[in-house]
Amino acid sequence: LKGKYKKPKDLINSIKECQPDYVMINSTHLSWIAPFLEGENINTCIYVREQVRGRLNLAAAINKNCISQATGVICISENEFKWIDNKNKHIIYNAINDEQMDKLQIRTKTTPGTMEKKSNKHTFVNMAVPSIQKGGFVIILATLILKKGWWLEKTNKEDKLDNKVSIYMLGAISKGFKRTSLPWVLVKTLTLKNLSLIYKLLVKILRLQKEIILLDYITDTDKYLSPCKFYIRSSITGDSWGRDVIEAMYKGKVCIVSGQSPFIKNGKNGFTYHPCNFIKLAKIMKMCNRMSIDDYNRMSNYSKAIINEKCTFKAYEGELTKALETLSNKSKRNRIIKTKS
């Protein structure tokens, strides 16, 4: 609708003509429409996507009452749920639809990512855009500590493989830089909106070219995700849950995430660490490298079982239906109260 209506006021008038029970607004468009909702007799439900905390705060600054006075709010992670001020808020975890799950299952069978004994390197994968919030620099520093052995227990010559890693950082080199003028690249870099150049420089200065492979954003991640053993999500805001983690867990990868995650139990099917604590991350990576095949397979199977139970499209649809029924009933009550007044 944002593309159809150039002016938010036109969109508001169109909504009024339809007289819906409630209007769902994606949080990425909240700052565009929020100032025009105040004072209007429209029941709103804000759908908060992951990774939009900054945008949502900006929108809240434009209109402080928009979120708190909304009929309801739907979040897809605890990270957003905690700080949203609304009495009628729901968490509905992200999910992979059945067709996507079938594709992942077929690929998992053909290219298994099970752990190999005496491997030359232990493979980790990270998928994130090169922004400061995604914490790619935490992975780079943790890799340096692991390579040098700083702040880690001493390793004998036979266990030197514990410090050898190969990390693929998918999306660490932004595709947008290839089509952008140099001044705009510098602005993006200096404002920490895009750390592609900084990542390249860090890896080169710290001599981590053999350990860290920086790659562009790609749509088909299976080439790197299937053969890997561990997946890292290094958000500095503690946002430890998303579709990338769901896909990795479904494929049986052991996930290492910053902050608390709803379905990752520390030491049971993955590992958690405090955001920005690169020393702790290095210690977890070394511990992963020492993991036995039996322990890895146990954690892998537990991850797959959780996703098959909690993150199917059927589970998502059921929770969404419950939330929308609650919102619909509340919006009808509000309409009756407003009509009487």
Side-chain angles (χ1 to χ4, degrees):
L1 287 178
K2 185 180 176 183
K4 184 178 179 181
Y5 298 95
K6 293 182 179 179
K7 296 180 180 179
K9 200 66 181 175
D10 296 336
L11 175 57
I12 299 293
N13 292 333
S14 179
I15 290 171
K16 283 182 178 179
E17 291 175 8
C18 297
Q19 294 184 339
D21 289 334
Y22 54 87
V23 177
M24 290 195 71
I25 304 171
N26 192 309
S27 54
T28 53
H29 298 150
L30 191 57
S31 58
W32 179 74
I33 198 172
F36 300 90
L37 289 172
E38 194 169 358
E40 299 289 353
N41 186 15
I42 297 175
N43 293 305
T44 57
C45 171
I46 301 169
Y47 186 82
V48 181
R49 295 173 57 209
E50 59 183 333
Q51 306 164 5
V52 293
R53 185 169 182 173
R55 294 184 189 179
L56 198 55
N57 281 342
L58 176 63
I62 296 171
N63 188 339
K64 294 179 181 179
N65 298 324
C66 188
I67 297 171
S68 58
Q69 291 185 359
T71 309
V73 178
I74 293 176
C75 318
I76 63 172
S77 74
E78 273 91 350
N79 190 51
E80 313 296 349
F81 186 84
K82 290 175 184 176
W83 59 269
I84 284 176
D85 181 23
N86 189 292
K87 293 180 180 179
N88 189 22
K89 53 185 179 179
H90 306 265
I91 296 181
I92 304 176
Y93 297 115
N94 227 331
I96 307 174
N97 63 39
D98 297 334
E99 184 181 346
Q100 181 70 6
M101 280 191 163
D102 290 339
K103 287 180 181 178
L104 289 174
Q105 197 169 23
I106 292 168
R107 288 174 177 177
T108 305
K109 287 178 180 177
T110 54
T111 53
T114 52
M115 203 168 179
E116 296 177 7
K117 203 170 183 180
K118 300 295 181 183
S119 172
N120 290 330
K121 284 188 177 181
H122 301 272
T123 309
F124 296 77
V125 167
N126 167 257
M127 294 188 289
V129 294
S131 66
I132 187 70
Q133 290 89 351
K134 295 301 176 183
F137 63 91
V138 177
I139 296 176
I140 294 173
L141 293 175
T143 307
L144 177 67
I145 290 172
L146 192 62
K147 182 181 179 180
K148 299 293 185 181
W150 299 333
W151 299 296
L152 302 175
E153 58 182 281
K154 290 185 178 180
T155 326
N156 56 42
K157 291 181 179 179
E158 293 179 0
D159 294 332
K160 274 193 174 181
L161 281 175
D162 294 341
N163 290 7
K164 287 189 176 181
V165 294
S166 179
I167 301 176
Y168 290 92
M169 295 180 65
L170 310 184
I173 306 174
S174 175
K175 190 186 294 183
F177 270 11
K178 296 176 183 177
R179 307 190 296 265
T180 311
S181 60
L182 182 60
W184 187 240
V185 169
L186 293 175
V187 168
K188 285 272 190 179
T189 304
L190 293 173
T191 56
L192 304 182
K193 296 286 185 183
N194 194 317
L195 303 182
S196 294
L197 298 179
I198 296 175
Y199 286 170
K200 285 181 179 178
L201 194 62
L202 266 177
V203 169
K204 191 172 183 179
I205 291 173
L206 301 176
R207 297 181 179 179
L208 296 173
Q209 294 96 325
K210 292 183 179 179
E211 288 76 20
I212 296 177
I213 298 92
L214 301 175
L215 296 169
D216 205 337
Y217 177 82
I218 56 175
T219 53
D220 187 7
T221 58
D222 186 69
K223 178 182 177 182
Y224 301 96
L225 192 58
S226 283
C228 87
K229 302 174 181 70
F230 306 97
Y231 182 78
I232 304 175
R233 185 178 172 100
S234 58
S235 170
I236 65 171
T237 61
D239 182 13
S240 56
W241 189 246
R243 194 168 62 86
D244 56 334
V245 178
I246 293 172
E247 286 193 19
M249 287 179 68
Y250 184 78
K251 293 176 78 65
K253 309 305 171 186
V254 174
C255 293
I256 306 168
V257 298
S258 58
Q260 297 302 312
S261 192
F263 300 137
I264 295 179
K265 308 298 180 186
N266 196 24
K268 195 167 185 180
N269 69 324
F271 299 96
T272 61
Y273 69 97
H274 192 274
C276 295
N277 191 341
F278 48 86
I279 298 176
K280 178 66 175 177
L281 177 57
K283 289 179 178 179
I284 291 173
M285 288 165 70
K286 183 165 186 173
M287 185 166 52
C288 288
N289 293 346
R290 288 181 168 182
M291 192 183 296
S292 67
I293 297 173
D294 291 339
D295 286 341
Y296 181 86
N297 288 336
R298 174 181 52 79
M299 296 177 80
S300 173
N301 292 334
Y302 188 76
S303 290
K304 287 189 280 189
I306 288 178
I307 297 302
N308 283 324
E309 180 185 353
K310 302 287 187 181
C311 294
T312 61
F313 187 75
K314 187 176 181 180
Y316 180 90
E317 187 181 26
E319 291 299 318
L320 184 62
T321 302
K322 287 179 189 176
L324 294 182
E325 283 176 355
T326 305
L327 293 170
S328 184
N329 293 334
K330 186 175 180 181
S331 65
K332 286 175 182 177
R333 288 196 298 270
N334 289 347
R335 186 175 292 175
I336 292 169
I337 292 169
K338 287 175 182 177
T339 304
K340 287 182 177 179
S341 61

